[in-house]
Amino acid sequence: MTIISTESSATGADQPSTGVESGLQHPLANLSAAEITRIRDIVSAEESFTETTRFAFVGLDEPHKWEVLAWQEGDGPLPERRARVMLLDMATGYSTDNLVSIDAGAVLSTSVLDGSAGQLPVLIEEFDAVADIVAEDPRWVEALIKRGTTVDQVKCVPLSAGHYDYPEEEGRRILRVLAFRQDYPEDHPWAHPVDGLSAYVDTATRKITRLVDSDVLAIPAESGNFDDPAVQGEPLTTLKPIVITQPEGPSFEVNGEWVSWANWNFQVGFDMREGLVLRQLSFTDSGEQRPVIYRASIDEMLVPYGDPSPVRFWQNYFDTGEYLFGRFTNSLALGCDCVGEIRYFDAVMSDELGNPFTIENGICMHEEDYGTLWKHSDLFAGSNEVRRSRRLVISFFTTVGNYDYGFYWYLYLDGTIECEAKLTGVLFTSAYPGLDEAGNDYPYASEVAPGLGGPYHQHLFSARLDMMVDGLSNAVDEVDVKRVPVGPGNEHGNAFTKKVTRITSEGVSGRTADASVARAWLVTNTEKTNRMGRPTGYVLYPQDSPTLLADPSSSIARRAEFATKHVFVTRYDPAEKYAAGDFVHQNPGGDGITKFIADDASVDGEDIVLWHTFGPTHFPRPEDWPVMPVDYAKFTLKPYGFFDKNPALNVPAPAKAHCSTRLPTLSAGPGAAELAAAGECAGGCNCSND
Ligand code: CO
């Protein structure tokens, strides 16, 4: 999981120590290929390691935050380099979670999973096995024939099982299988779902444990081959090229994994589970490097489906915890995903045999022009100033089966931080049942092409934001607008104000967004103040979209409590990494956030982690077929009294001379025409790409 800058630039003078100079590994450095090889050698020397043992997960075991900070301050030793290694014996299902000292060359601890509290993540080797397993079962073969197709004509999609109290699944590794017909090798099978049929498969015994054979529905026939010119139609011929150039190069500096850009500093991290991780994000203000977030990642994401069909009610994918979506990071080597002066980082991780492998250009970083940063044409002072905004974009794309997800972190000159998910790829389809006998439309899916259904679903991303606003002592306030009734002091009824509620402990920290009161959550430092004597802070602005829509008594609601609220706040604990728990695959529930908040620890003036769930509820459109135009979901963090004033005042005016100039004032003459002209874009300060 080493990040290798493909092109290293000069070291920034004000960057944090990377340890590179001293020859020591920074405690937060991503695992290198050499370290992964060493981990494999350490682990495979253990007696319990067999020929059928696979590496389900290998990741950096990050030292305690306080140890890292103490070391950086010169007040503590360099923490030990450790890795977390999850091992699965494919033949027996024997599963262990191991802590390995890379420095000492030893396994420090091993815990054995009995499966009652979840399984290790799904292996690619298990994915590959299911097609052969089902093909050997005559019931599956018969059921396909009944639907007018054959084993040779279908692709089997291995899907995570969830937890539904089937006794034969207890302690076993189970995948559920749906079939899609593929008419020829280049055909996209998602267009041809074989509905009414699903197989539950034990991947260790290689047997179908249960076959669900319900309705026989026609297999939709129309091609979904969006890459076929015949499906695309006549090419649009009116688009001229847009070329982004940065003749003097990009404005960021890269030193190994560490980046500085404008006033921002951070480390580009990568993990095979979470994908991109930003660490130690800070903003330099008057020469002082002020921390904002210690660690930020998408620690979990859930795609729950709302179709109760007997072959689909269990569709609830945890793409991070069950499938480790970081593994499926796209190589952006083609250069089509980002434009401008790009800096790529490679992602290095372990394969299932414990060998390192590299995804070249897995992470993309570039600058984007972002329109107007600030602007004013003054009526009285004659001042006419425009500044252009730009942002630094750090992103990766991962493909999990049919869907493709991009995760984009944006850093702005004014201290704003945004995280945006981009959703594209291909819908997970069904055969559309059509109208029922009473003439009612099917209530749980859209018809996206003739006879083809797009079942309703949600995409719920969990952002784990290990906050460090100006230091470790933080608190969170829920801030709502508050209407004030007419009365003494508000005789005219125009008043409105704020209602501020301190989130005092974990037990009351589960909160829901409410656009009707512009609800936001303000993270403040309880010890530091700005020049007005008020706490320095950053505010989280959510998008108001539904949380988990499944019934509170459902299996998925128990397994994904994190997704039942938009926000939870917990006391920092290095063991609390993932919102749905460490072992999400077949986890019966009550893990993750549910456990983290159970002791109701105080989060007022503590070292805290903010967990934010965001993402769209998707009623698929015909326009989402056969490939979805990108849909977006995001959240924003903005400084709120963190700075003493606008921190982007000193951004220079664009090179064009008229972007900072004087206008005639109102008192000095007519001036109206000039003032109006200042609002136009023709001069290029407001709308250009420069
Ligand atoms: Co969707």
Side-chain angles (χ1 to χ4, degrees), residues 294-317:
Y294 179 79
R295 188 184 192 282
S297 68
I298 301 297
D299 68 282
E300 191 51 87
M301 70 163 282
L302 169 64
V303 189
Y305 281 73
D307 185 347
S309 149
V311 298
R312 207 166 285 109
F313 66 87
W314 44 262
Q315 273 189 298
N316 298 298
Y317 312 132

Side-chain angles (χ1 to χ4, degrees), residues 167-422:
E168 72 275 16
E169 294 185 355
E170 289 304 318
R172 310 299 308 176
R173 288 182 66 83
I174 304 293
L175 290 173
R176 309 203 195 282
V177 182
L178 294 172
F180 292 79
R181 196 186 68 208
Q182 187 178 39
D183 294 343
Y184 45 92
E186 297 78 27
D187 189 37
H188 290 263
W190 308 109
H192 317 300
V194 180
D195 213 324
L197 174 65
S198 103
Y200 302 174
V201 171
D202 182 324
T203 56
T205 63
R206 300 179 63 90
K207 292 272 185 284
I208 292 181
T209 61
R210 199 176 280 232
L211 188 89
V212 179
D213 185 349
S214 59
D215 300 339
V216 176
L217 295 160
I219 301 174
E222 190 177 281
S223 169
N225 296 341
F226 55 87
D227 49 354
D228 177 355
V231 172
Q232 290 172 349
E234 278 299 306
L236 191 62
T237 56
T238 52
L239 301 179
K240 305 286 192 288
I242 294 178
V243 178
I244 310 293
T245 57
Q246 291 181 273
E248 295 175 36
S251 315
F252 48 73
E253 290 188 341
V254 179
N255 179 15
E257 300 164 357
W258 294 86
V259 176
S260 64
W261 175 78
N263 291 309
W264 290 105
N265 278 283
F266 60 94
Q267 183 219 15
V268 177
F270 187 85
D271 177 87
M272 66 186 286
R273 181 163 176 157
E274 301 165 276
L276 175 61
V277 178
L278 295 188
R279 295 196 184 96
Q280 298 203 326
L281 183 64
S282 67
F283 193 101
T284 301
D285 176 28
S286 305
E288 186 198 348
Q289 204 170 313
R290 299 173 66 190
V292 180
I293 305 178
Y294 179 79
R295 188 184 192 282
S297 68
I298 301 297
D299 68 282
E300 191 51 87
M301 70 163 282
L302 169 64
V303 189
Y305 281 73
D307 185 347
S309 149
V311 298
R312 207 166 285 109
F313 66 87
W314 44 262
Q315 273 189 298
N316 298 298
Y317 312 132
F318 293 79
D319 286 338
T320 312
E322 292 174 338
Y323 296 137
L324 307 186
F325 73 18
R327 284 189 299 182
F328 306 117
T329 294
N330 292 185
S331 172
L332 306 173
L334 288 177
C336 308
D337 295 272
C338 313
V339 292
E341 289 287 316
I342 310 299
R343 179 65 50 89
Y344 292 106
F345 297 86
D346 292 346
V348 176
M349 63 191 105
S350 169
D351 68 15
E352 290 175 3
L353 297 174
N355 300 313
F357 79 99
T358 301
I359 296 173
E360 284 180 20
N361 297 8
I363 295 166
C364 171
M365 182 171 76
H366 70 288
E367 286 173 284
E368 283 178 357
D369 181 271
Y370 199 66
T372 304
L373 169 63
W374 54 261
K375 171 182 167 66
H376 183 57
S377 307
D378 196 82
L379 193 63
F380 300 110
S383 156
N384 180 30
E385 301 281 334
V386 189
R387 296 297 183 274
R388 291 200 64 80
S389 177
R390 66 170 74 186
R391 61 187 185 184
L392 185 68
V393 187
I394 313 104
S395 69
F396 79 110
F397 246 101
T398 175
T399 302
V400 193
N402 54 304
Y403 262 109
D404 301 73
Y405 296 99
F407 295 94
Y408 285 63
W409 292 88
Y410 302 118
L411 305 177
Y412 294 84
L413 296 171
D414 69 350
T416 299
I417 303 161
E418 275 181 345
C419 175
E420 182 172 67
K422 299 189 182 185

